[in-house]
Amino acid sequence: MNLNDLNALRPDLAFIADWVRERAHVLDVGCGDGAMLRYLELGKGCTGYGVEIADDKVLESTQRGISVIQHDMEEGLDLFRDNAFDMVLCLSSLQMMQHVEARLRDIVRVGQEAIVSFPNFAYWPHRVALIRGRMPVSRSLPYQWFDTPNVRYATIHDFKDLAEKCGLEVLEYVALAEGKVVTFLPNLRGSLAVFRLRKRVGVTD
């Protein structure tokens, strides 16, 4: 798994990988098929674990050679101590959780930094679908309303507010469209939001 392979598979992951420093100790929450963590191990010398609940994805991660723990993130991350990882990744999975605020606090507790991505519900095709009286279906939201695993929807502005409420510092954030950064009207033109966060200095749970 090299950067070109990752970019062909998921351009957003190829962009996000650049935010992870070399030889970092990483936890990938909702690691899916393990492609991201495999690239970080091979391409950047990182170490770490994946956390995944789906049987088929755990199998795929294992077949890639990833150390993966089958665990329901809704139960929290009590199996890891505070600041156990340099970086925690939660990529396109936070919106699938019932208790987003609690899980976000958990992520920044076990990691010195965190990268969170999620579909931006304010993306203009999503708005158009709602104006037409339909729930949005897009590359970042590829499910019909009746079979989606997503239980929470947010915009870039919504997530910034939640980060502030949780006492988090937003180190940087971008909106992506087809894996490329959107700088003009990002909350309207970006289909995926990506935030790099850490607990604000002096803030305790």
Side-chain angles (χ1 to χ4, degrees):
M1 176 67 68
N2 58 40
L3 189 58
N4 289 334
D5 295 332
L6 189 64
N7 189 58
L9 183 66
R10 287 273 304 275
D12 59 307
L13 296 187
F15 174 86
I16 292 167
D18 191 52
W19 282 6
V20 181
R21 66 174 176 81
E22 293 189 2
R23 295 180 292 279
H25 192 45
V26 177
L27 179 67
D28 190 351
V29 176
C31 66
D33 62 9
M36 179 64 149
L37 197 51
R38 187 60 173 164
Y39 166 72
L40 292 175
E41 289 179 349
L42 295 178
K44 306 194 79 168
C46 296
T47 59
Y49 302 93
V51 174
E52 178 59 54
I53 188 171
D55 292 340
D56 58 332
K57 297 302 183 182
V58 170
L59 178 59
E60 288 183 67
S61 291
T62 302
Q63 290 172 338
R64 287 187 189 272
I66 299 302
S67 298
V68 59
I69 300 167
Q70 189 165 25
H71 176 71
D72 185 355
M73 179 59 182
E74 293 284 10
E75 298 177 4
L77 293 174
D78 290 345
L79 58 166
F80 301 111
R81 60 176 175 79
D82 293 2
N83 297 316
F85 298 91
D86 299 311
M87 179 68 75
V88 178
L89 306 177
C90 186
L91 308 180
S92 296
S93 57
L94 192 65
Q95 77 279 358
M96 299 179 186
M97 299 175 191
Q98 290 284 347
H99 306 290
V100 172
E101 182 177 346
R103 299 293 73 81
L104 185 59
R105 291 180 186 276
D106 238 359
I107 287 165
V108 297
R109 177 186 63 78
V110 303
Q112 295 179 27
E113 290 187 8
I115 298 174
V116 174
S117 70
F118 57 91
N120 176 29
F121 203 65
Y123 183 39
W124 73 265
H126 300 163
R127 301 188 192 200
V128 170
L130 290 170
I131 290 172
R132 292 176 174 172
R134 297 286 186 177
M135 285 297 290
V137 178
S138 66
R139 184 169 295 186
S140 60
L141 289 173
Y143 304 95
Q144 296 291 336
W145 68 270
F146 53 84
D147 66 359
T148 179
N150 299 320
V151 296
R152 301 285 183 246
Y153 296 96
T155 71
I156 290 172
H157 298 320
D158 291 326
F159 190 82
K160 289 171 69 176
D161 290 344
L162 178 61
E164 177 69 24
K165 178 182 178 183
C166 292
L168 307 183
E169 180 181 359
V170 176
L171 299 174
E172 54 187 321
Y173 73 94
V174 297
L176 300 180
E178 304 299 326
K180 299 186 182 302
V181 176
V182 176
T183 55
F184 178 65
L185 299 176
N187 200 43
L188 179 68
R189 298 176 59 243
S191 60
L192 188 77
V194 186
F195 281 73
R196 186 164 71 93
L197 310 158
R198 69 182 176 196
K199 184 176 289 187
R200 195 177 299 278
V201 176
V203 174
T204 58
D205 292 332

